[in-house]
């Protein structure tokens, strides 16, 4: 009887999966496992739903559970390989890809992934070997003054200051697939790199009467959905500030367009337009999830290197009105960490976040419903419970922590007794999740106003079109 019930629950999970409702699918697969914990397929099904939600640590655990039940279950090796590849553990992934290729020699996708993984392991070793801590900037030797804007260039000209006219023209150019002149691309990145480098690690701002600030979560290269936020909510202006909370790039195939538009607004409104760094404003993620490939395809490798330098200069958090700490990932493994520790953190001493420390935790951690702290469902960082959030907010005089970093089916979620808020601004994420997007408006009364919105149509270019390792097909996107 339990077996029949379990199969019924698994089928309901499959139905939810088919409808791209990954959280509901996970709920049903979990119930199926509770009814019959000896069926490896239940674990691999749940692993695939976890992969869709980027809970790669959970996916690895489920695939391993399936293999404990059946060491010959190819699908479990496949799922675990996918999850390890996704969190850049190529050496672990290669072991499982090798087994999949051996057991399923006709599987061309697995063979491609195995070959790609071998190349990535070699490339990682090469990059580590040539790494120089104080490498010269990609701007060295770049002579903007000698770059000529050809007469045939049909866009608005940019001089020494950003203008609304230039931005309006840029928005329309990007809609129809046109690019900016490379001189302007270099100008924008270099100017914004300088601006954000000189900002504090935790920017502190207030909302004055007759002003408002909009907090947006991940946009992930979904340019047309970013324009929908501006259409619904109003464009940035001297009285309408914006904060974009990381993960502007990767996955979506208009990441250069988003980065250049956000950077142009930062240049136009340096004290009223804010950018926090996310875990995807990092080199290793950009290599895996498409931004590096997109920069090279649309502009040049030098453009990617300059973007990389500017990403490592971005602030890691923004404090709004001494009430809301906004950062991409979440809280810390140590209760002793305070806002002053964030203020004192020298982010310029460490360009990439690494595997531990405050910067990594600010970019990677996630909330959990259970008290205390737990292992990361992603396989990177950790998770923090409602008690951790409560203590942090009380110690630092905060009303709440606002973070992004995770898909929420309604675009946002209020957790931890109202003290932890997730906002995610990429609706129909990767064209494969039926989630809404959201943004938060905050006016001078500091009340949070939540707004949800739906995805809008975009040209027929698939997500991660510029990723160079077949991640799309591997993850079933």
């Amino acid at each position: 009887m339990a077996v029949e019930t379990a199969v019924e629950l698994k089928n309901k999970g499959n139905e939810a999966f088919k409808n791209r409702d990954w959280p509901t699918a996970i709920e049903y697969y979990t119930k199926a496992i509770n009814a019959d914990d000896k069926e490896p397929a239940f674990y691999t099904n749940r692993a695939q739903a976890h992969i869709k939600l980027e809970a790669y640590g959970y996916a690895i655990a489920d695939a391993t559970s399936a293999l404990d039940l059946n060491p010959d279950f190819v699908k479990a090796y496949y799922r675990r390989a996918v999850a390890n590849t996704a969190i850049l553990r190529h050496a672990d992934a290669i072991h499982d890809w090798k087994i999949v290729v051996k057991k399923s020699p006709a599987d061309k996708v697995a063979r491609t992934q195995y070959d790609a993984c071998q190349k990535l392991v070699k490339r990682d070793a090469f990059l580590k070997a040539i790494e120089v801590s104080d490498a010269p900037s990609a701007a060295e030797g770049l002579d903007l003054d000698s770059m000529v804007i050809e007469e045939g260039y049909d866009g608005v000209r940019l001089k020494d200051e950003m203008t609304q006219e230039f931005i309006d023209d840029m928005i329309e150019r990007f809609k129809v697939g046109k690019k900016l002149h490379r001189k302007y691309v270099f100008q924008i990145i270099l100017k914004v790199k300088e601006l954000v480098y000189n900002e504090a690690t935790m920017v502190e701002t207030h909302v004055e009467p007759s002003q408002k600030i909009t907090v947006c979560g991940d946009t992930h290269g979904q340019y047309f959905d970013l324009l929908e936020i501006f259409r619904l909510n109003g464009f940035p202006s001297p009285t309408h500030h914006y904060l974009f909370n990381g993960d502007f790039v990767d996955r979506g195939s208009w990441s250069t367009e988003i980065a250049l538009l956000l950077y142009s607004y930062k240049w136009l409104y340096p004290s009223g337009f804010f950018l926090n760094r996310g875990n995807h404003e990092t080199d290793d993620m950009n290599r895996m999830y498409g931004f590096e490939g997109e920069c090279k395809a649309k502009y040049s490798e030098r453009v990617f290197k300059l973007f990389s330098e500017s990403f490592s200069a971005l602030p890691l958090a923004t404090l709004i009105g001494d009430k809301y700490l906004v950062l991409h990932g979440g809280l810390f493994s140590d209760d002793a960490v305070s806002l002053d520790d964030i203020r004192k953190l020298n982010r310029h001493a460490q360009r990439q976040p690494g595997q531990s420390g405050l910067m990594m935790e600010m970019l990677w951690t996630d909330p959990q419903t259970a008290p205390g702290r737990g292992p990361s469902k992603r396989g990177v960082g950790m998770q923090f419970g409602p008690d951790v959030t409560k203590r942090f907010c009380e110690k630092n005089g905060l009303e709440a922590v606002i973070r992004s970093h995770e898909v929420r089916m309604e675009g946002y979620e209020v957790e931890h007794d109202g003290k932890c808020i997730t906002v995610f601004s990429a609706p129909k994420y990767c064209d494969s999740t039926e989630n809404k997007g959201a943004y938060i408006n905050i006016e001078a009364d500091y009340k949070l106003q939540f707004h949800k919105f739906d995805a809008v149509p975009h040209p027929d270019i698939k997500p991660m079109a510029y990723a160079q390792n077949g991640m799309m097909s591997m993850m079933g996107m």
Side-chain angles (χ1 to χ4, degrees):
M1 194 67 186
V3 173
E4 285 173 20
T5 303
V7 170
E8 216 172 281
L9 290 163
K10 183 261 297 183
N11 290 339
K12 285 182 178 175
N14 290 351
E15 192 61 32
F17 190 95
K18 201 165 72 178
N19 292 328
R20 300 174 173 184
D21 183 352
W22 321 126
T24 302
I26 287 167
E27 276 179 42
Y28 279 119
Y29 293 143
T30 301
K31 287 175 182 174
I33 289 165
N34 291 339
D36 175 13
D37 61 2
K38 297 292 185 283
E39 175 47 65
F42 296 167
Y43 292 94
T44 54
N45 283 14
R46 190 169 68 175
Q48 181 65 353
H50 281 312
I51 285 167
K52 292 291 191 180
L53 284 174
E54 299 176 24
Y56 302 117
Y58 285 178
I60 290 165
D62 273 347
T64 303
S65 295
L67 289 169
D68 288 342
L69 292 167
N70 179 0
D72 292 319
F73 196 24
V74 177
K75 195 176 275 188
Y77 288 109
Y78 199 103
R79 297 278 186 264
R80 195 166 68 180
V82 167
N84 272 314
T85 302
I87 54 175
L88 316 180
R89 289 184 182 162
H90 305 307
D92 291 331
I94 207 165
H95 171 266
D96 285 342
W97 286 126
K98 190 174 184 179
I99 292 171
V100 174
V101 167
K102 191 176 178 182
K103 290 180 179 291
S104 303
D107 188 331
K108 290 181 181 172
V109 173
R111 165 57 68 181
T112 301
Q113 286 309 316
Y114 177 52
D115 293 343
C117 210
Q118 286 183 304
K119 286 178 188 168
L120 288 168
V121 168
K122 287 176 187 168
R123 186 206 64 194
D124 290 349
F126 173 72
L127 289 172
K128 197 168 184 185
I130 64 164
E131 194 174 20
V132 181
S133 57
D134 55 350
S137 168
E140 209 166 279
L142 191 61
D143 184 3
L144 292 181
D145 293 336
S146 69
M147 285 188 192
V148 177
I149 307 296
E150 298 79 9
E151 277 187 34
Y153 182 71
D154 62 350
V156 169
R157 300 307 206 248
L158 178 64
K159 298 207 168 84
D160 295 330
E161 292 299 327
M162 181 55 65
T163 65
Q164 188 66 56
E165 182 193 17
F166 183 86
I167 290 176
D168 291 344
D169 179 67
M170 176 199 296
I171 287 170
E172 295 308 313
R173 291 182 74 76
F174 289 165
K175 278 186 194 172
V176 295
K178 289 184 176 181
K179 293 183 288 191
L180 291 184
H181 193 280
R182 66 192 181 102
K183 177 177 181 176
Y184 298 153
V185 173
F186 289 137
Q187 251 182 292
I188 291 165
I189 302 172
L190 290 172
K191 178 63 180 179
V192 172
K193 178 187 164 190
E194 179 193 350
L195 284 172
V196 298
Y197 188 94
N198 291 319
E199 289 183 318
T201 294
M202 182 176 74
V203 173
E204 302 184 44
T205 187
H206 290 77
V207 186
E208 304 300 336
S210 79
Q211 283 184 346
K212 73 174 170 183
I213 185 167
T214 300
V215 181
C216 298
D218 305 33
T219 49
H220 272 305
Q222 295 184 197
Y223 176 72
F224 294 87
D225 296 316
L226 171 63
L227 295 187
E228 180 70 354
I229 294 174
F230 291 150
R231 185 188 74 78
L232 292 169
N233 192 51
F235 284 82
S237 76
T239 58
H240 189 170
H241 298 176
Y242 271 85
L243 163 58
F244 283 84
N245 193 28
D247 283 16
F248 328 123
V249 302
D250 279 342
R251 296 190 179 276
S253 294
W254 290 270
S255 291
T256 55
E257 286 81 1
I258 282 193
L260 288 167
L261 179 54
L262 296 183
Y263 273 27
S264 296
Y265 271 123
K266 178 65 183 172
W267 185 356
L268 186 63
Y269 300 119
S271 58
F273 195 91
F274 307 100
L275 300 168
N276 285 345
R277 190 178 189 177
N279 67 304
H280 276 266
E281 279 72 54
T282 54
D283 286 354
D284 52 3
M285 300 300 273
N286 294 159
R287 289 192 187 106
M288 175 65 77
Y289 289 100
F291 184 60
E292 181 183 47
E294 185 181 334
C295 284
K296 288 176 178 177
K298 292 179 181 175
Y299 294 104
S300 67
E301 184 173 9
R302 190 176 216 167
V303 164
F304 170 67
K305 286 183 172 172
L306 285 173
F307 264 127
S308 166
E309 291 176 26
S310 73
F311 289 166
S312 67
L314 288 167
L316 301 179
T318 303
L319 183 64
I320 300 177
D322 300 319
K323 292 175 183 292
Y324 301 107
L325 175 67
V326 187
L327 73 174
H328 182 71
L331 296 180
F332 307 96
S333 54
D334 185 349
D335 275 347
V337 174
S338 69
L339 293 183
D340 272 343
D341 292 308
I342 301 174
R343 287 185 182 101
K344 287 184 234 167
L345 178 62
N346 178 9
R347 70 191 189 278
H348 302 310
Q350 180 187 350
R351 287 196 59 221
Q352 302 301 320
Q355 296 297 309
S356 61
L358 288 193
M359 186 192 292
M360 183 279 288
E361 291 179 353
M362 292 173 77
L363 299 184
W364 276 100
T365 61
D366 295 294
Q368 64 181 23
T369 53
R373 293 176 173 88
S376 170
K377 61 186 174 187
R378 296 171 188 273
V380 183
M382 55 106 204
Q383 296 187 128
F384 57 95
D387 55 329
V388 175
T389 306
K390 185 183 180 195
R391 288 194 297 270
F392 183 84
C393 287
E394 285 176 354
K395 177 180 176 180
N396 293 285
L398 297 172
E399 286 194 18
V401 172
I402 300 174
R403 41 90 63 183
S404 302
H405 195 38
E406 288 181 280
V407 177
R408 290 293 189 260
M409 295 308 285
E410 291 302 308
Y412 75 94
E413 187 173 359
V414 180
E415 302 170 82
H416 293 186
D417 302 314
K419 296 198 175 300
C420 180
I421 292 134
T422 299
V423 59
F424 191 83
S425 304
K428 202 169 185 183
Y429 180 44
C430 287
D431 289 349
S432 69
T433 302
E434 293 302 326
N435 64 295
K436 293 183 182 299
Y439 50 87
I440 305 169
N441 282 330
I442 307 173
E443 296 182 12
D445 63 1
Y446 290 103
K447 301 285 184 242
L448 301 182
Q449 305 162 30
F450 297 96
H451 298 268
K452 297 189 282 189
F453 67 103
D454 293 313
V456 293
H458 61 72
D460 188 20
I461 300 171
K462 298 281 185 281
M464 298 214 303
Y466 301 94
Q468 297 171 348
N469 47 33
M471 280 289 286
M472 282 292 293
S473 58
M474 180 182 78
M475 296 174 75
M477 288 179 173

